[in-house]
Amino acid sequence: MNDKTSPHVTLHEGKYLRMLTRGTWEYVERTHASGLAAIIIAVTPEDKVLFVEQFRVPLQAATIEMPAGLVGDIHADESIEVSAIRELEEETGWTAAQAEVLMIGPTSSGMASERIAFVRATGLTRIGPGGGDGDEKITVHEIPRMQAAGWLVQKMGEGYELDAKLWAGLWMIDHHLDGTPRG
């Protein structure tokens, strides 16, 4: 029996995560959302990339990330695009006129069943201060697009943990998935 056809066994189930085995693999899945998250690639009308800073308990460190959130954690039938705009508003205080799913892929394919959608948000308008919901303490950074990669490297040097997907997000600002420039 290979890992693909063997049944899964639940090792532990918490409020938000379930740990499973299937064949020889141990992995986790979410119990309260769709198993899909959205990372939002957002550039303001002033050509500034939106980043968020927050303390992440599993790392015991402050991180720099693009705005992101779970799809279906508030409303089970919420689309990826609607979830992305909601998270963008909540975390950064900016809303978007449009949201476009660019691609969907695994976040950590050897550890979790979760997938992430890269979502390009356009037509941005500031509607509030951001900072997250009641239990989040998010700092919003608006960094000029041409300086964003250098700023991220500086933050890494300062000891921040950086999500590797940041560089993919920066690349997707100026490129289609096939590598052709955005017009």
Side-chain angles (χ1 to χ4, degrees):
M1 197 182 251
N2 67 33
D3 288 343
K4 187 174 182 180
T5 59
S6 62
H8 74 264
V9 175
T10 300
L11 298 175
H12 177 75
E13 186 163 336
K15 185 175 179 181
Y16 299 110
L17 295 174
R18 178 182 302 124
M19 185 174 183
L20 305 163
T21 61
R22 184 180 298 268
T24 59
W25 283 94
E26 292 179 347
Y27 63 99
V28 296
E29 66 183 16
R30 294 197 182 273
T31 60
H32 71 293
S34 67
L36 183 65
I39 182 170
I40 301 104
I41 303 163
V43 180
T44 70
E46 294 79 26
D47 202 30
K48 294 180 178 179
V49 182
L50 296 177
F51 296 105
V52 294
E53 172 186 335
Q54 59 186 315
F55 183 82
R56 291 294 196 174
V57 172
L59 297 172
Q60 285 296 291
T63 64
I64 302 292
E65 306 165 11
M66 287 182 166
L70 298 175
V71 175
D73 65 329
I74 304 292
H75 306 287
D77 61 346
E78 194 173 55
S79 71
I80 297 169
E81 296 86 351
V82 169
S83 291
I85 292 172
R86 177 181 49 77
E87 289 289 346
L88 180 67
E89 291 173 359
E90 178 184 293
E91 292 189 2
T92 70
W94 288 84
T95 193
Q98 301 88 27
E100 172 192 7
V101 176
L102 302 177
M103 69 163 288
I104 299 172
T107 57
S108 180
S109 57
M111 188 194 74
S113 62
E114 181 179 67
R115 290 177 173 77
I116 193 150
F118 280 87
V119 179
R120 180 181 176 90
T122 55
L124 269 60
T125 305
R126 180 179 290 286
I127 59 168
D133 63 19
D135 63 346
E136 295 174 311
K137 292 183 174 83
I138 294 174
T139 302
V140 180
H141 296 281
E142 299 176 15
I143 307 301
R145 186 174 52 85
M146 298 307 292
Q147 298 168 14
W151 181 80
L152 291 173
V153 170
Q154 174 189 333
K155 289 299 183 186
M156 225 177 355
E158 293 172 9
Y160 286 85
E161 294 281 344
L162 271 66
D163 186 330
K165 293 181 291 296
L166 288 167
W167 278 268
L170 287 178
W171 187 80
M172 289 182 206
I173 290 170
D174 296 318
H175 300 87
H176 295 281
L177 291 181
D178 65 4
T180 57
R182 288 193 180 271

